[in-house]
Amino acid sequence: MMPQHPPGRLLSPSLFALGMLLGAAAHAQDDGAAGPAWTLSGFGTIGAAHSSERNGDYTANVLKANGAGATRSWSANVDSRLGAQLDLRFTKAWSAVLQVVSEQGLDNSYRPRVEWANLKYQATPDLALRFGRIALPMFLTADYRKVGYIYPWVRPPVEGYGALPFTSSDGVDATLRWSAGAVQNSSQLFYGRDDVRLIDPLRATARGIVGISNTSDWGALSVRANLIRAEITTDIGSALFDAYEAAGPAGVAIARNYRIDHKHATIASIGMNYDPGRWFLMAEASRTRSASLLGSTRSMYASAGLRIRSFTPYLSIAQARAVSATHEDGLPTAGLPPAAAAQLAQLNGGLNLLLATIPQQDTQALGVRWDLAANAALKLQYDRVTPRLGSRGTLINLTPAFRSGQTAHVTSVALDFVY
């Protein structure tokens, strides 16, 4: 849940009206009206990013329609968002939370999306049960990755955080708090599903999401380990794979290998944050496995910063690499009539274009955070982003002139706030 302290277009009129009504309800509770206790809070980021790459767009995650670079040199869509969170307490044991976020989606709109919507039962002081839409604990900042005010950077490293479309799960979870000497632990088991609308009519569905997460705190050190497994289905590339299947048994085998249709995917990650107050050190590594077009990858990042009064200069390095095939020879064209050979070559080329979307990328970042008020921070960040090994990295909207291996220089400014 969002801490008591935490883009760029205005929130939609419907969500704004909801916030006004809930704010009035909260005020009524303060005046002694009967009913549950209400707390309404919000967060946002007003950001702008510039990229030197003119043959692709730099974005924060795969669910963006465009970004900075090819579409426009400066873009507010990379990081800007606005969110609202409603916390309700019915009794000492029962509570609920609703979080809605408005940010650019694949349809290029800022249609609000419900990120969290769950009911919580505090069965004992150490055991909590939840039902509804719950944040997936995939990384260190999973619980607050939309709230830019909490983390030091303009955005979490895109090599890990930006590559996955699933951030929440509709289902159930149980969290147990326990101690082992001086180490305080929080262990979470969860089960659910998610359904993400891509570009109409495409969707991505994760069924049978099951996993475990454990966070261990020992003084200034926090360590989080996660393991998640799900069955993924999406229509991405379906027309291409239909064409392969029509080409005979060899094409059927290729389609079976790469089509994302009820394919199991596993994500494992471990991260640490050491923060004694004057400085911090964070590092995280993750591994994904999927016998499909999604491929298997590994990613990591490390970041360190020093707090000097209201300023926090920081630096980061990040890397993503494929550990599965990123090229497929496809169907042989030798000895075929020219027309048939050209058709198969086109099919093979289309498959390899899709395989090039598996991110392989290096990033070095340098930035500074200025806490200009108790609830606002201004950040400036420079990223040196280099797609590697024939991959487009995390770039989208490529032009024919794009070349892997060229470095993009990305400059970002963001105002994060909470209220």
Side-chain angles (χ1 to χ4, degrees):
M1 296 176 66
M2 194 179 68
Q4 294 300 317
H5 271 326
R9 296 195 324 204
L10 292 176
L11 202 60
S12 71
S14 60
L15 187 56
F16 178 76
L18 175 62
M20 294 294 288
L21 289 172
L22 295 178
H27 182 71
Q29 295 303 316
D30 290 340
D31 289 341
W38 303 69
T39 301
L40 182 66
S41 54
F43 55 91
T45 298
I46 300 173
H50 175 274
S51 174
S52 65
E53 176 60 74
R54 294 294 178 264
N55 297 304
D57 280 343
Y58 178 84
T59 65
N61 62 67
V62 295
L63 296 180
K64 298 285 188 178
N66 52 61
T71 300
R72 56 184 68 86
S73 59
W74 283 93
S75 174
N77 296 325
V78 177
D79 300 297
S80 297
R81 71 178 62 87
L82 191 60
Q85 181 168 317
L86 174 66
D87 292 277
L88 304 95
R89 179 162 294 280
F90 305 103
T91 68
K92 188 175 181 180
W94 290 94
S95 60
V97 62
L98 171 67
Q99 185 187 97
V100 182
V101 177
S102 174
E103 61 184 338
Q104 189 204 42
L106 282 171
D107 60 357
N108 202 25
S109 78
Y110 274 68
R111 181 181 296 110
R113 181 182 187 274
V114 176
E115 287 290 325
W116 302 350
N118 59 74
L119 183 65
K120 178 180 177 181
Y121 174 58
Q122 195 71 41
T124 73
D126 295 321
L127 176 63
L129 309 174
R130 293 187 297 180
F131 171 80
R133 180 162 295 178
I134 302 159
L136 283 175
M138 286 188 289
F139 297 102
L140 273 174
T141 69
D143 296 333
Y144 51 86
R145 65 190 299 252
K146 299 291 185 180
V147 189
Y149 178 78
I150 301 180
Y151 45 77
W153 328 284
V154 168
R155 68 190 69 87
V158 298
E159 283 74 11
Y161 284 76
L164 300 172
F166 303 107
T167 60
S168 59
S169 169
D170 295 335
V172 296
D173 80 342
T175 301
L176 177 67
R177 299 185 184 278
W178 53 283
S179 300
V183 180
Q184 305 297 314
N185 295 278
S186 177
S187 300
Q188 179 184 5
L189 292 171
F190 52 92
Y191 177 84
R193 58 166 291 158
D194 196 13
D195 189 0
V196 177
R197 178 168 56 186
L198 304 175
I199 301 173
D200 285 337
L202 300 181
R203 306 186 75 89
T205 302
R207 295 185 176 89
I209 301 174
V210 62
I212 183 171
S213 174
N214 186 81
T215 301
S216 299
D217 295 311
W218 184 21
L221 176 65
S222 181
V223 178
R224 185 169 193 170
N226 314 293
L227 179 62
I228 300 175
R229 181 177 172 87
E231 184 185 85
I232 310 295
T233 297
T234 178
D235 292 331
I236 293 175
S238 60
L240 176 73
F241 297 128
D242 288 344
Y244 266 115
E245 289 176 345
V252 170
I254 291 175
R256 184 185 305 115
N257 285 339
Y258 292 106
R259 189 190 289 272
I260 310 172
D261 184 13
H262 298 87
K263 293 293 183 68
H264 286 101
T266 303
I267 304 171
S269 66
I270 185 168
M272 60 79 64
N273 179 21
Y274 185 73
D275 190 344
R278 292 294 305 276
W279 56 278
F280 72 86
L281 174 64
M282 297 177 67
E284 197 161 11
S286 65
R287 182 75 153 79
T288 69
R289 294 178 182 271
S290 175
S292 72
L293 187 63
L294 298 174
S296 297
T297 63
R298 57 176 172 83
S299 64
M300 62 74 60
Y301 75 85
S303 182
L306 177 66
R307 298 185 178 94
I308 307 171
R309 295 184 180 178
S310 59
F311 293 92
T312 306
Y314 60 86
L315 55 84
S316 303
I317 58 170
Q319 182 185 87
R321 288 290 185 270
V323 291
S324 59
T326 58
H327 179 82
E328 171 64 56
D329 292 336
L331 295 174
T333 59
L336 296 176
Q343 288 180 345
L344 292 187
Q346 186 176 14
L347 276 183
N348 296 336
L351 176 57
N352 284 301
L353 281 176
L354 290 177
L355 289 174
T357 65
I358 300 174
Q360 303 197 78
Q361 181 170 286
D362 296 327
T363 296
Q364 301 85 40
L366 178 67
V368 61
R369 170 187 174 129
W370 174 29
D371 285 279
L372 53 88
N375 63 340
L378 184 65
K379 302 172 185 177
L380 180 65
Q381 182 170 313
Y382 164 73
D383 293 85
R384 192 173 184 272
V385 182
T386 310
R388 300 290 189 186
L389 304 172
S391 168
R392 68 177 188 180
T394 60
L395 303 182
I396 63 172
N397 298 333
L398 305 185
T399 73
F402 172 80
R403 296 293 180 270
S404 182
Q406 296 182 346
T407 296
H409 303 275
V410 180
T411 304
S412 308
V413 60
L415 176 64
D416 294 319
F417 55 90
V418 295
Y419 58 91

